[in-house]
Amino acid sequence: MIASASHNCSLSQAAESQGTEAGGAVEAATGLSLSSLLSASAIGVNVGGWLSAGVTYNNHNPANHSNQPVTFNDRALEPQLDQFYLYVERVANKESRHWDLGFRADFMFGTDARFTQAAGDWDMNLVTDGTLRFYKPAFPQAYLELVTPFVRGATLKLGHFYTILGQEVVPATGNFFYSHAYAMQYGEPFTHTGLLASYPATGNWTVNFGAVLGPHGKDDNFSEHLGNWNFLGGVTWLSDDGGTSLAAAVTSGPTDDPGSPVRTIGSLVLNRDISEKLHYTAQYDHGMQEQAGNAADATWYGINQYLTYALDPELSLGLRCEWFRDQAGFRVMGVPASYYETSAGMNWKPFAWLLLRAETRYDWVDGDQQVFDLQTRGSQLTVGANAVVTF
């Protein structure tokens, strides 16, 4: 099947499920999962992870080897170890009629870590020589999850966790494409620190609500601006047949200390199974911040569309088209413009533990703005190839 996050669930559910599937390389080689080899499964604990590595060609061959404003796979013609990812978790029993406690902790090392690490935590270069200066550690998740006997299926998450906004996720195992959309890179937070309750209101509706420390960046941790609480919440609807879902989410609150300018970011994601093999996703993002650049208010918004088609259980094709408007130049490269990208890709999974991805991506901006190749060009073409090995 394709590597993208489930078409029938919210992003938060998809992010939590990444890496928990069986059939990793360790099990293929030994007949036992990594959890079993470490004797963790005997106490209900899962241990796992993956390696993600790739390379990206840029038609301009930029002198600084940067694909910016594309991030994550941002180095041109330089092999990247994107993610060496480890997690340990105990999944809380959401159907329990008694108290139950789960947890999860994630560790990442690689070139993706510098984009996902919350400031105020361990933020350092392990290697300072040559191209290896881009490799850093990160702890994208560390949380407890509580199940109470009072409301069946409801959970309370406390700690540091992935956002519930948008479609694309940080884990390499959760996306169809190697590169990321502008909306994910610049329009949304990656992680939150705080608490989040999830409540299955009915068989079709799930409600999320909580409080987190800041929208992202310097406030997304427990070490700075502890009074800077933001609202985080959303609702997800799933059709009776599981073929359609609609998820809305928003975070809003002060950007610094209480009483400081407010930032609000929201997303609306529609997933639809057109047929057994053809899947469609549409996403709208909208963000606003008071007193942003030059003390003026800033607004950014955009639309993503995805089509994926499964030729067979191992091979899938995908298309992504996006328009992202940074009206004040507050989010992307300091350049006010409309940013466009179209990506066509392929996923091949010859083994349960191996995913191979290839994509061709074309980016451009409107008008005479120049943001690519050291801000000398208005467009760029990149071709990326990536391998993900789960264990």
Side-chain angles (χ1 to χ4, degrees):
M1 286 297 294
I2 62 174
S4 61
S6 170
H7 292 275
N8 301 323
C9 65
S10 68
L11 182 144
S12 59
Q13 296 168 318
E16 290 174 358
S17 69
Q18 300 313 313
T20 60
E21 54 192 282
V26 172
E27 185 173 349
T30 67
L32 296 173
S33 68
L34 185 59
S35 299
S36 298
L37 287 174
L38 297 176
S39 300
S41 57
I43 57 174
V45 174
N46 300 321
V47 180
W50 56 84
L51 279 170
S52 173
V55 65
T56 304
Y57 163 82
N58 187 310
N59 69 315
H60 299 312
N61 191 23
N64 64 347
H65 295 276
S66 175
N67 295 322
Q68 284 189 335
V70 174
T71 58
F72 289 83
N73 63 317
D74 64 321
R75 305 303 297 163
L77 289 176
E78 289 182 2
Q80 294 182 245
L81 171 60
D82 308 293
Q83 298 181 7
F84 170 63
Y85 203 106
L86 293 172
Y87 69 88
V88 56
E89 68 173 355
R90 181 187 184 275
V91 179
N93 180 9
K94 297 180 181 180
E95 298 303 314
S96 175
R97 296 184 180 274
H98 307 281
W99 293 96
D100 195 28
L101 184 66
F103 65 86
R104 175 153 175 152
D106 296 27
F107 169 80
M108 182 199 301
F109 175 76
T111 57
D112 285 1
R114 58 204 160 98
F115 299 111
T116 59
Q117 177 69 349
D121 297 328
W122 184 19
D123 187 19
M124 59 179 288
N125 292 320
L126 295 188
V127 183
T128 59
D129 183 34
T131 58
L132 296 182
R133 69 187 184 279
F134 298 109
Y135 288 80
K136 286 189 176 184
F139 298 91
Q141 293 198 115
Y143 64 82
L144 299 174
E145 190 167 39
L146 180 66
V147 174
T148 76
F150 309 116
V151 182
R152 192 171 185 181
T155 62
L156 178 64
K157 186 181 293 184
L158 174 65
H160 188 59
F161 44 84
Y162 285 128
T163 188
I164 61 172
L165 278 75
Q167 171 73 10
E168 296 186 11
V169 294
V170 170
T173 54
N175 305 291
F176 185 95
F177 291 97
Y178 180 32
S179 69
H180 283 291
Y182 284 99
M184 188 268 194
Q185 297 173 88
Y186 297 102
E188 305 161 356
F190 298 150
T191 58
H192 302 282
T193 301
L195 53 92
L196 181 67
S198 179
Y199 170 60
T202 68
N204 301 90
W205 292 90
T206 299
V207 179
N208 295 289
F209 57 92
V212 294
L213 292 170
H216 58 80
K218 67 179 182 179
D219 301 316
D220 182 23
N221 57 79
F222 279 129
S223 62
E224 299 182 43
H225 302 288
L226 296 184
N228 176 19
W229 289 102
N230 283 218
F231 170 77
L232 174 66
V235 294
T236 300
W237 172 80
L238 180 66
S239 63
D240 290 335
D241 63 2
T244 305
S245 67
L246 184 64
V250 65
T251 181
S252 182
T255 56
D256 204 328
D257 297 316
S260 65
V262 171
R263 178 181 298 178
T264 302
I265 305 171
S267 71
L268 184 65
V269 181
L270 169 68
N271 281 299
R272 172 63 180 168
D273 293 341
I274 298 175
S275 69
E276 185 178 352
K277 295 185 175 183
L278 184 63
H279 307 275
Y280 173 71
T281 299
Q283 174 177 329
Y284 175 71
D285 286 80
H286 198 104
M288 300 175 290
Q289 179 168 327
E290 300 172 341
Q291 301 177 31
N294 299 319
D297 295 348
T299 302
W300 59 96
Y301 44 88
I303 297 174
N304 293 359
Q305 295 187 90
Y306 306 75
L307 270 178
T308 59
Y309 183 79
L311 296 173
D312 57 48
E314 290 79 37
L315 183 63
S316 297
L317 304 177
L319 179 66
R320 178 180 64 204
C321 298
E322 178 182 19
W323 163 61
F324 184 80
R325 176 66 178 171
D326 184 8
Q327 193 160 302
F330 181 63
R331 304 299 297 171
V332 190
M333 304 289 289
V335 179
S338 287
Y339 294 79
Y340 302 88
E341 63 95 2
T342 298
S343 301
M346 177 187 70
N347 281 197
W348 181 38
K349 201 165 187 179
F351 306 103
W353 50 269
L354 176 62
L355 170 66
L356 301 175
R357 297 186 292 189
E359 71 170 55
T360 299
R361 171 174 175 150
Y362 184 67
D363 293 72
W364 72 101
V365 293
D366 60 358
D368 57 358
Q369 301 284 14
Q370 297 180 329
V371 298
F372 307 100
D373 191 11
L374 295 170
Q375 295 189 302
T376 62
R377 302 176 189 270
S379 65
Q380 77 176 10
L381 175 71
T382 54
V383 179
N386 166 249
V388 182
V389 177
T390 56
F391 45 83

